[in-house]
Amino acid sequence: GQQVMQIPQYQHVQEGEDFTTYCNSSTTLSNIQWYKQRPGGHPVFLIQLVKSGEVKKQKRLTFQFGEAKKNSSLHITATQTTDVGTYFCATSYDKVIFGPGTSLSVIP
Amino acid sequence: EPEVTQTPSHQVTQMGQEVILRCVPISNHLYFYWYRQILGQKVEFLVSFYNNEISEKSEIFDDQFSVERPDGSNFTLKIRSTKLEDSAMYFCASSAGGPGSPLHFGNGTRLTVT
């Protein structure tokens, strides 16, 4: 089945610094979804990418899907304390499978 | 905004006991899911449910687990004989479309097996 890996596992940044998490697969993915889970919370859907090379933006967040559809990235510009949480990529074929997540902490 | 609701928020049970976790999916959604997350770890797929039957299940979802949609609004997960390793956060999710559609998660039920 389709599986995705994420790096880094943890990232600590100073407030105002940028942050990027990477999602990788050994197989071609049909799509990528990104979710955010605040500490003590539940995963919340952020975005879905479907097309090769697709780039989508949500305010300070930029999402990319690789040309080969085997990787994706989430970049946050000028992090804020509200960005703290775990960011999961996920992919779906017959079910939605989550990557292990990148836990972001932001030092004020 | 419509929400997925889960009850209870925390369930403590003794090993070997049966538990039922309850979920009310978003009303116009057709696909329902259970995931679990052991503390600090990844979100693991358990089962998907569509048209009153299981559509996919993982290796974790063995004979001790069952799901039901008893009355057209509730979606339940039953664990027949709980084990210590069943302790986790259990999330219910629903989606309007199939596996390619965004999942809407509930707040979860924290299950503690002692």
Side-chain angles (χ1 to χ4, degrees):
Chain A
Q2 297 192 324
Q3 289 194 351
V4 287
M5 297 306 299
Q6 282 184 256
I7 53 170
Q9 187 177 0
Y10 302 97
Q11 184 84 59
H12 307 278
V13 299
Q14 287 285 143
E15 189 172 17
E17 290 182 340
D18 292 357
F19 160 76
T20 305
T21 174
Y22 299 91
C23 180
N24 300 291
S25 171
S26 59
T27 60
T28 303
L29 302 170
S30 52
N31 58 63
I32 277 285
Q33 297 176 352
W34 285 93
Y35 292 80
K36 176 184 178 181
Q37 184 178 26
R38 293 182 189 274
H42 58 277
V44 174
F45 173 78
L46 295 176
I47 210 155
Q48 176 163 280
L49 306 171
V50 178
K51 298 177 186 174
S52 167
E54 190 169 13
V55 178
K56 289 189 177 180
K57 293 191 176 187
Q58 287 179 351
K59 297 182 181 178
R60 294 177 296 102
L61 278 60
T62 301
F63 304 85
Q64 290 190 311
F65 201 8
E67 293 289 343
K69 299 182 75 173
K70 289 186 176 181
N71 56 73
S72 180
S73 64
L74 158 59
H75 179 83
I76 302 178
T77 303
T79 54
Q80 300 174 358
T81 54
T82 53
D83 296 324
V84 164
T86 301
Y87 292 85
F88 294 98
C89 64
T91 189
S92 65
Y93 179 64
D94 48 10
K95 51 189 177 284
V96 179
I97 299 299
F98 283 71
T102 294
S103 178
L104 171 65
S105 60
V106 179
I107 306 161
Chain B
E1 187 175 321
E3 289 184 339
V4 175
T5 57
Q6 288 186 245
T7 55
S9 56
H10 193 185
Q11 175 90 51
V12 181
T13 190
Q14 288 192 326
M15 196 166 51
Q17 296 296 304
E18 173 184 288
V19 293
I20 298 176
L21 310 183
R22 302 180 192 279
C23 169
V24 179
I26 294 173
S27 61
N28 63 344
H29 284 186
L30 301 176
Y31 296 80
F32 315 118
Y33 311 85
W34 285 100
Y35 285 79
R36 79 172 186 190
Q37 186 176 36
I38 295 170
L39 186 62
Q41 298 187 25
K42 66 188 292 183
V43 179
E44 298 178 292
F45 172 80
L46 292 178
V47 66
S48 58
F49 191 86
Y50 170 71
N51 201 25
N52 282 321
E53 60 183 29
I54 291 173
S55 44
E56 293 291 332
K57 59 183 182 178
S58 71
E59 313 80 55
I60 303 168
F61 195 88
D62 61 20
D63 291 345
Q64 293 300 310
F65 291 86
S66 62
V67 288
E68 198 176 33
R69 188 156 163 81
D71 56 14
S73 62
N74 288 284
F75 179 51
T76 62
L77 173 69
K78 182 193 289 186
I79 309 175
R80 274 183 251 287
S81 178
T82 50
K83 304 171 192 163
L84 293 176
E85 54 264 36
D86 293 327
S87 295
M89 181 71 88
Y90 288 80
F91 289 108
C92 173
S94 67
S95 66
S101 300
L103 300 181
H104 297 258
F105 284 85
N107 289 332
T109 293
R110 179 166 296 286
L111 176 65
T112 303
V113 182
T114 61

